[in-house]
Amino acid sequence: MWSAVLRPAAAELTERAREISAAVNDYTRARLRDLLADEQALEVNRASTEASILDFAQVLSSGEDPLAAVQLQSPTLDYARDGAQHGIPLTTLMRSYRLAHAATATQFNAILQNHARNAEELHLASELGSAWMFAYVDAALCLVEEVYTAERDRWLRSAAASQAETIATILAGEPIDTDVATRRLRHDVRRVHVAAIAWLETHEEGRNTQAVLEAAIRDIASAIGNQKPLVHPLGILSTAAWISSHSHIPSKVLDELRFRTANAPGVRVAIGEPAPGIGGIRSSYVEAVEAQRVARLAGRAAGSVTRYDNVSLRAIATANLDQARDFVRRELGPLGEMDETTRRLAATVRAYLDENCSRGRTAKRLHVHDNTVAYRIRQAEELLGRSLERRTLELRVALALADVVTETSDSETTPASLRTAN
């Protein structure tokens, strides 16, 4: 039975591990929405599930005793440690594993049907496969609990826990003495602060995500002129940091921020605006969170740096995404269509308005003839059903929002929240 059915089933389980982990993720999310509240939490959970599926398939394929053969892979261990550091109750974490087991078992039973030749063979294979899986999950959960408990004990005794608690207090807007905060954070909170959030969209096996994220942060900090940013991990796939200065930080410096993508592949960064003191730590972070949300809505590419000041209108106007979509749809009408020709017309209108309705400057900016600009403007006005001189402010805002409120962008992210360590 193992040779004829279970071993081929293990091979199929291995081949389809990523697909199955995504389905399991959907099942778990529907039952633990607070735990899997955003896209990054979902990706971390999916990576952990995929690693466990691959590990179980290996054990099943080799015919080993699960109780002796279980070796949790790094995504699963990282998931448990991250939960311990961020105060996720062990009961919640264990429930997520049990839900994943239930959903995986359903997928595994469906795979067995592909390899069993008759009902009797399927029945026997299901019994044996289920026994193997339950033994594996039992051993794995024991290891997860050990890792979680050890990490939680270590974390509570560490200076990092005191730092995380202090940051949580500041971000919550609760009162805290400046000298106490400076001592606990080992960072002068009286300075001018720029908050930055670096994140990855996907988890890759074997990649040290924190090292990659911190490489981007170091480059950003160096460009601002601070070699020792205050770094605060938000999770496996994201890190916050505060880069501080004794003096004013020029706006041009923030607009020109870059990081070496070779050292930080796949990373995106969002930054808030400079602000002084403890209040500045919080306000700049809130802005960085909003800049990140807009960057994810707009599908900003890896290697990008999104500054809040450059997207503040989009951030404010998309606080309610459904209302923003209705506004853009109503204001632009057919000019909001996503085909290439219409998008070119919309881009021309945007440039025309930016150039104070000068056809000459618009033509120079777009590298086209004046008559081409005039023709496109007439086409755009026909689509709008009105002159560009009417509702100009509303039109400007709608054009600015069009790229971040399309239906395709909605799946990119869930609005970010002020996630801090407990």
Side-chain angles (χ1 to χ4, degrees):
M1 186 62 59
W2 170 74
S3 178
V5 181
L6 292 177
R7 222 178 164 190
E12 183 177 343
L13 197 60
T14 298
E15 183 180 345
R16 296 176 53 199
R18 188 173 185 89
E19 167 203 338
I20 292 172
S21 67
V24 171
N25 227 21
D26 292 340
Y27 178 87
T28 306
R29 184 186 198 180
R31 291 155 180 80
L32 278 178
R33 290 196 175 275
D34 289 344
L35 179 65
L36 305 179
D38 56 46
E39 296 302 317
Q40 290 193 348
L42 277 170
E43 172 58 19
V44 169
N45 187 69
R46 188 210 59 75
S48 172
T49 301
E50 181 182 8
S52 296
I53 290 172
L54 290 171
D55 192 34
F56 168 69
Q58 173 59 35
V59 170
L60 182 61
S61 181
S62 66
E64 295 180 85
D65 178 1
L67 295 176
V70 171
Q71 292 184 342
L72 298 182
Q73 303 304 309
S74 60
T76 305
L77 296 173
D78 290 344
Y79 186 47
R81 292 190 183 107
D82 185 64
Q85 292 176 10
H86 287 92
I88 296 173
L90 181 59
T91 52
T92 301
L93 196 68
M94 299 301 271
R95 184 171 181 234
S96 75
Y97 284 113
R98 287 194 294 272
L99 287 170
H101 170 213
T104 304
T106 299
Q107 297 281 339
F108 180 55
N109 287 332
I111 288 175
L112 290 177
Q113 295 180 31
N114 298 333
H115 301 278
R117 292 169 296 185
N118 52 56
E120 182 181 1
E121 199 167 78
L122 177 60
H123 175 71
L124 293 173
S126 296
E127 282 192 344
L128 187 56
S130 294
W132 228 310
M133 181 174 283
F134 273 107
Y136 171 86
V137 170
D138 183 55
L141 289 183
C142 288
L143 290 176
V144 166
E145 186 171 355
E146 289 177 7
V147 169
Y148 177 97
T149 302
E151 181 62 22
R152 189 63 178 164
D153 290 344
R154 185 202 67 77
W155 173 257
L156 291 175
R157 292 194 301 269
S158 71
S162 175
Q163 175 177 298
E165 182 182 0
T166 302
I167 290 174
T169 298
I170 292 172
L171 296 185
E174 298 173 3
I176 185 170
D177 183 78
T178 299
D179 291 334
V180 170
T182 296
R183 184 173 66 253
R184 289 180 181 174
L185 297 177
R186 299 177 184 177
H187 188 88
D188 189 353
V189 300
R190 300 173 183 84
R191 297 179 180 180
V192 175
H193 311 283
V194 173
I197 298 176
W199 77 96
L200 292 160
E201 293 291 355
T202 58
H203 189 288
E204 293 182 13
E205 174 65 27
R207 178 165 64 169
N208 185 336
T209 57
Q210 282 302 314
V212 171
L213 294 169
E214 289 183 22
I217 291 294
R218 283 195 300 272
D219 282 353
I220 295 293
S222 179
I224 291 176
N226 185 318
Q227 302 298 326
K228 294 183 178 180
L230 172 62
V231 178
H232 174 59
L234 298 174
I236 294 172
L237 295 180
S238 60
T239 288
W242 286 267
I243 302 144
S244 303
S245 172
H246 288 292
S247 59
H248 170 71
I249 301 172
S251 182
K252 183 179 179 182
V253 170
L254 299 179
D255 280 333
E256 296 177 353
L257 287 177
R258 301 289 184 273
F259 60 91
R260 290 169 290 183
T261 54
N263 296 337
V267 175
R268 297 160 174 81
V269 175
I271 63 169
E273 295 305 301
I278 288 179
I281 290 177
R282 183 177 189 277
S283 66
S284 190
Y285 177 74
V286 170
E287 291 170 347
V289 168
E290 284 297 290
Q292 180 193 29
R293 181 176 67 81
V294 173
R296 299 187 71 191
L297 278 172
R300 292 288 172 87
S304 61
V305 179
T306 302
R307 179 184 175 186
Y308 176 77
D309 190 57
N310 295 332
V311 298
S312 56
L313 172 63
R314 294 175 176 87
I316 294 168
T318 58
N320 185 314
L321 199 54
D322 289 335
Q323 285 188 353
R325 281 205 184 98
D326 290 342
F327 171 78
V328 170
R329 193 178 298 117
R330 184 171 57 249
E331 290 298 325
L332 297 186
L335 189 58
E337 297 297 326
M338 300 304 294
D339 62 277
E340 184 178 350
T341 299
T342 308
R343 287 173 68 92
R344 184 168 59 245
L345 291 179
T348 301
V349 172
R350 188 183 299 117
Y352 181 71
L353 294 174
D354 287 345
E355 297 296 343
N356 293 319
C357 300
S358 167
R359 283 189 299 180
R361 288 196 299 270
T362 303
K364 185 176 180 179
R365 175 171 168 177
L366 298 179
H367 306 290
V368 297
H369 195 275
D370 286 20
N371 292 340
T372 301
V373 173
Y375 175 69
R376 291 180 184 176
I377 293 301
R378 285 197 301 272
Q379 284 187 305
E381 289 180 332
E382 288 178 8
L383 291 176
L384 286 169
R386 68 175 190 270
S387 166
L388 298 188
E389 296 177 0
R390 290 188 56 209
R391 296 179 66 83
T392 302
L393 176 59
E394 288 82 355
L395 179 59
R396 281 177 173 272
V397 173
L399 289 169
L401 296 181
D403 290 340
V404 297
V405 299
T406 57
E407 296 295 337
T408 52
S409 294
D410 189 36
S411 62
E412 295 291 330
T413 186
T414 299
S417 59
L418 302 186
R419 184 184 178 198
T420 60
N422 289 330

